[in-house]
Amino acid sequence: MTAREEILSRIRSALTEATAPEPIPRDYHRAPASGPGNVELFAHTVDDYRAQVHRADESTVAEVVTGLIADGARAVVPPDLPQSWRPRRDVVVDGAPTTLSTLELDALDVVVTGCTLGIAATGTIVLDGGPGQGRRALTLVPDHHICIVRTDQIVDTVPQAFQTLDPAKPLTFISGPSATSDIELNRVEGVHGPRTLDVVIVR
Amino acid sequence: MTTFLGTPTFQAGAGNIRGTESFPDAARKSLADTQLRANLGAATTTIRNKRIAAVAEVDDWEDLRRAGSALKADVMARLPELLVQFEENVTARGGAVHWARDAEEANRVVTDLVRATGSDEVVKVKSMATQETGLNEHLEENGIAAIETDLAELIVQLGEDKPSHILVPAIHRNRAEIREIFLKAMPGIDPDITDDPRALAMAARAHLRRKFLSAKVAVSGANFGVAETGTLAVVESEGNGRMCLTLPDTLITLMGIEKLVPSFTDLEVFMQLLPRSSTAERMNPYTSMWTGVHPGDGPQNFHVVLLDNGRTNVLADDVGRSALHCIRCSACLNVCPVYERAGGHAYGSVYPGPIGAILSPQLTGTTGHDDPNASLPYASTLCGACFDACPVRIDIPGILVHLRAEQVDSERRGLPGGQDLAMKAAGFVMGSEKRFAAVETVSKVGRVLGGKKGRITSLPYPASKWTASRDLPAPPKETFRQWWARTHEDTTR
């Protein structure tokens, strides 16, 4: 018998006496999104993680983003980041014409991307590799991530997020900068992922 | 669980899920370690209070718990079909699925997969499944270096120590001890480093950075696998998980067969329950989800190894089955008065605390009174705090009592043990009013033994079996029956 057949057969005989489970109670809050999510709550929960929250409108995004990049820092963007969101300075574009190697990425300081949605209840931004977000390594290796969230991308609850997300895409949920609590349960921001997270909310 | 012996369908789980000595013996040693008790007490108090605050924010918490519990019960009931569905979906998206009957087979499968890549080094995401099977040791024996990348696992690995907590494996170490470990085992570390947690975390960052950027193969566990889509999820904080799951060419994920959820949207329940219960955060800093291979993004070779290793033993027990609902949040450890004092190492298994006390003996089965895992269901005060804290409502106290009963039943034949004798003696005495009254008179002696403190700290054999582990309160001045007789003269016969 293969391991597969044997395990499946063990499970079947383990369950012969089992009683049928009850239906799943879905009494928790799972109403679909109705209108835009709570932007103020999102700003508050993001800020609680010691990520910096900034505001802009479509005409000032580039200016705000540019102001967040330290002098002399080298920035990278995904190829399809909207022109109006790009920092006003020299940037490296990942994937145009060539995809950067991990070591090349490591030599860059800042990455600017969009996201697919933000969750107000938890202060989470979700990236799925869609337009303006780049591949996963792009938002991981540089030490500073500037993420742009449009107010119409914010949902209120975790269930609303899952009703929208596409599991066929690679998903990254980000809630504040990299952090550890492994030493006496003291939270230390910044271990392996980006040590600085700036979230720019665009109205 | 001894009833399973002789029925070939069931196979006991093996690996790092059974210690070498009984819980009382192991706990006696850790109780004497005052540093350990101080470290643990401080850490568990902090996390307990934070968790209560994080949970209080969610006004549908009880509804989420009930949904989580029912979802897991549904998964267990439909496990064969869901596993097959999961396998189909992973395969359809370019991943490969392997099955492992036990720890040894899982280690062999993973080692062969690593060998096939030609690499002699793997970076690892913290994973209970690989701790359970002892994968690191197996890889080392086969000439493959396994590098733990979670800070706490790194502290444990560099300290040649064992993890003592599901979520914070180095919870038993304080900053001064961690500094000593790093100075001793981390090449190139600044010899003047302070014990500031930030400085220590940054030293770990520098130490691991080159490994991440050059690694060809990564090994991870999984928090959830989605049957409907073949999606896998890893929940973490430091970004070491993202590094391992994203940068190498090959990713190998070892996952227990119980980790499934039926559909992708069911994650909406668990992604609310898990972070608040484990690290007491609204959401953990990073969660990665991937489905098979994503062309041009992340590892291009993906394998998932499905592990039994005794899980089907647990599944066969109608009462104990729900131990498999565990999502490894560790909330039960942090609220447990026994764990807080004895520490994780006393449980012998990589699964410590209340959940370990029910999971480990069920995974391994027990071989009789002297099996260390047979002592685990007794490592509890049955106070019920673990049930209150459990985000998926596992009735840990109920299962502890069930396992105790099974253990006692399995020992009925053969020489009676101390507990058996005590119970028989009590039964004899309480079976007759005269005998009971006689013993009550004798028990007055206890008042003398108890002295001014009113506590008896040591008695001769066989009562020493009891007083070796705890004091015995001295009997009161007057028994209930004496009090009744004195105050209810008219009603006594």
Side-chain angles (χ1 to χ4, degrees), chain A residues 142-185:
Chain A
D143 201 22
H144 180 183
H145 181 193
I146 301 172
C147 187
I148 298 157
V149 185
R150 293 195 319 267
T151 50
D152 63 2
Q153 291 180 309
I154 296 170
V155 297
D156 283 325
T157 68
V158 173
Q160 285 169 358
F162 274 93
Q163 278 150 28
T164 315
L165 292 170
D166 177 1
K169 295 180 175 173
L171 300 172
T172 306
F173 287 55
I174 299 173
S175 309
S178 159
T180 182
S181 302
D182 282 343
I183 301 171
E184 296 180 20
L185 290 171

Side-chain angles (χ1 to χ4, degrees), chain B residues 215-461:
Chain B
K216 300 276 177 253
V217 186
V219 174
S220 83
N223 290 91
F224 306 103
V226 182
E228 175 200 47
T229 58
T231 305
L232 284 142
V234 164
V235 175
E236 51 126 2
S237 292
E238 296 171 9
N240 66 309
R242 289 181 69 194
M243 288 278 184
C244 294
L245 302 170
T246 307
L247 300 182
D249 305 324
T250 301
L251 171 60
I252 304 163
T253 299
L254 179 64
M255 178 178 106
I257 52 173
E258 81 284 17
K259 289 278 177 165
L260 289 186
V261 300
S263 71
F264 179 69
T265 49
D266 291 330
L267 289 175
E268 71 191 18
V269 174
F270 298 104
M271 286 306 298
Q272 292 188 78
L273 290 172
L274 179 57
R276 290 185 199 258
S277 301
S278 60
T279 53
E281 292 167 301
R282 294 186 181 115
M283 190 67 95
N284 50 290
Y286 297 125
T287 296
S288 299
M289 296 185 193
W290 69 100
T291 307
V293 170
H294 299 284
D297 188 350
Q300 296 302 297
N301 300 298
F302 170 59
H303 299 270
V304 54
V305 183
L306 295 169
L307 175 70
D308 179 348
N309 201 37
R311 283 160 178 74
T312 41
N313 284 0
V314 190
L315 200 62
D317 187 320
D318 225 5
V319 179
R321 179 179 304 143
S322 61
L324 293 177
H325 297 186
C326 174
I327 55 173
R328 310 282 188 259
C329 72
S330 73
C332 63
L333 277 61
N334 301 326
V335 299
C336 177
V338 176
Y339 174 87
E340 182 180 341
R341 287 161 181 82
H345 291 157
Y347 295 79
S349 163
V350 296
Y351 301 110
I355 185 65
I358 58 170
L359 193 56
S360 306
Q362 292 198 90
L363 286 172
T364 59
T366 52
T367 54
H369 190 81
D370 295 327
D371 183 339
N373 274 2
S375 67
L376 290 182
Y378 296 90
S380 168
T381 63
L382 300 180
C383 72
C386 49
F387 172 68
D388 286 341
C390 179
V392 289
R393 293 176 56 91
I394 302 172
D395 180 8
I396 298 176
I399 299 176
L400 285 166
V401 172
H402 166 71
L403 294 177
R404 289 180 188 188
E406 283 206 327
Q407 188 61 38
V408 170
D409 281 346
S410 73
E411 288 177 30
R412 275 200 206 287
R413 283 178 220 113
L415 284 175
Q419 183 174 327
D420 248 12
L421 288 175
M423 288 301 158
K424 284 208 173 87
F428 176 74
V429 169
M430 291 177 174
S432 137
E433 198 185 326
K434 273 188 188 157
R435 286 199 288 266
F436 193 66
V439 168
E440 275 187 347
T441 316
V442 175
S443 76
K444 278 186 183 160
V445 178
R447 282 197 57 74
V448 182
L449 284 173
K452 273 190 189 150
K453 280 188 299 183
R455 304 199 73 78
I456 303 166
T457 52
S458 75
L459 281 173
Y461 185 87

Side-chain angles (χ1 to χ4, degrees), chain B residues 69-105:
Chain B
S69 169
L71 276 164
K72 278 299 191 181
D74 180 53
V75 168
M76 297 313 145
R78 297 194 291 131
L79 199 50
E81 70 176 86
L82 293 178
L83 280 168
V84 169
Q85 190 189 15
F86 174 75
E87 180 185 41
E88 279 168 10
N89 286 314
V90 172
T91 313
R93 299 228 169 236
V97 177
H98 312 262
W99 301 67
R101 279 167 275 227
D102 55 25
E104 199 203 320
E105 189 169 20

Side-chain angles (χ1 to χ4, degrees), chain A residues 55-197:
Chain A
R55 313 282 186 135
D57 56 44
E58 274 297 342
S59 65
T60 59
V61 180
E63 193 186 318
V64 170
V65 168
T66 309
L68 294 172
I69 300 174
D71 288 340
R74 298 183 65 205
V76 59
V77 296
D80 49 1
L81 189 76
Q83 206 62 42
S84 62
W85 288 5
R86 289 195 182 191
R88 291 182 190 136
R89 53 189 293 163
D90 282 347
V91 291
V92 181
V93 180
D94 180 46
T98 51
T99 304
L100 299 170
S101 73
T102 305
L103 288 176
E104 285 169 327
L105 264 184
D106 192 39
L108 299 168
D109 305 296
V110 190
V111 57
V112 184
T113 71
C115 69
T116 186
L117 59 81
I119 308 171
T122 59
T124 304
I125 50 181
V126 184
L127 276 67
D128 71 354
Q133 299 165 51
R135 62 201 168 103
R136 283 174 283 173
L138 190 63
T139 51
L140 171 63
V141 180
D143 201 22
H144 180 183
H145 181 193
I146 301 172
C147 187
I148 298 157
V149 185
R150 293 195 319 267
T151 50
D152 63 2
Q153 291 180 309
I154 296 170
V155 297
D156 283 325
T157 68
V158 173
Q160 285 169 358
F162 274 93
Q163 278 150 28
T164 315
L165 292 170
D166 177 1
K169 295 180 175 173
L171 300 172
T172 306
F173 287 55
I174 299 173
S175 309
S178 159
T180 182
S181 302
D182 282 343
I183 301 171
E184 296 180 20
L185 290 171
N186 278 290
R187 190 177 167 98
V188 175
E189 268 84 24
V191 198
H192 307 298
R195 283 183 284 189
T196 308
L197 175 67

